Amino acid sequence: MGFAPIFLFSIMDLQTLIEPTLTGMGYELVALERVGRGLLRLYIDKPEGIGLDDCVKVSHQLTRLFAVENVDYDRLEVSSPGLDRPLVKAADFVRFAGERAAIRLHAPLDGRKRFTGVLKGLTDGVLQLEMDGALVAIPLAEVDSARLAPVLEGHTRRTR
């Protein structure tokens, strides 16, 4: 009587495993999370946006990949990053220049940790954010989290 080995993959190992498959399919891995009780959640994107068919196609492909690689998980969720897409990689800040973003820092900069404004680019690891007509320079290394912050018509969004 034999047992199949179960390999526990770290998030970095999973990312290394998943990214080439997604890239080959024409998708970008935006974020990957292991959530309690065996849930593996990933957000994918492509320039023309993500639809339900994209999520289904990626889910089927990754299910097969995980079976071959003995990835231990109970459920897999594949989703679009949404309108408030997380900005994770340096390239995200370049790609979404001209868009509104909400930025949260590890430690206060000029007395504040939260900034919302228009992304103006990234140069030498420093993010340029336009707020109320002034440019704010934020070292990318100080960013704890960042998301697009679209303004929806007829709605206002508060950031704390």
Side-chain angles (χ1 to χ4, degrees):
M1 182 165 155
F3 293 95
I6 296 176
F7 298 101
L8 298 178
F9 286 80
S10 72
I11 288 293
M12 293 305 289
D13 292 338
L14 282 171
Q15 187 170 338
T16 301
L17 178 67
I18 291 169
E19 280 191 305
T21 299
L22 291 179
T23 300
M25 296 174 71
Y27 298 101
E28 171 193 1
L29 177 63
V30 174
L32 173 64
E33 307 171 331
R34 263 203 191 268
V35 184
R37 298 186 166 252
L39 173 61
L40 185 58
R41 180 181 296 144
L42 62 135
Y43 298 93
I44 59 171
D45 203 4
K46 64 181 181 180
E48 56 274 9
I50 297 296
L52 181 59
D53 290 342
D54 296 305
C55 295
V56 169
K57 183 164 75 169
V58 168
S59 179
H60 287 209
Q61 185 66 29
L62 292 181
T63 299
R64 290 190 287 276
L65 175 66
F66 294 164
V68 168
E69 297 293 335
N70 292 316
V71 174
D72 185 34
Y73 72 101
D74 291 328
R75 289 184 312 147
L76 174 63
E77 284 183 9
V78 178
S79 178
S80 147
L83 293 176
D84 61 343
R85 178 197 201 279
L87 303 172
V88 181
K89 304 169 193 144
D92 293 342
F93 294 93
V94 174
R95 174 179 171 193
F96 292 102
E99 300 288 334
R100 276 178 42 88
I103 313 290
R104 188 174 67 215
L105 305 181
H106 297 290
L109 176 68
D110 296 330
R112 60 191 293 185
K113 288 178 73 172
R114 295 177 187 260
F115 297 83
T116 300
V118 177
L119 295 172
K120 291 298 182 180
L122 180 70
T123 306
D124 297 326
V126 178
L127 172 65
Q128 299 295 319
L129 188 71
E130 183 182 316
M131 294 177 50
D132 302 321
L135 277 181
V136 177
I138 302 172
L140 198 54
E142 293 301 316
V143 174
D144 181 43
S145 67
R147 291 186 162 278
L148 291 180
V151 176
L152 303 176
E153 231 176 274
H155 294 84
T156 58
R157 182 177 183 160
R158 286 185 55 192
T159 58
R160 295 180 212 178

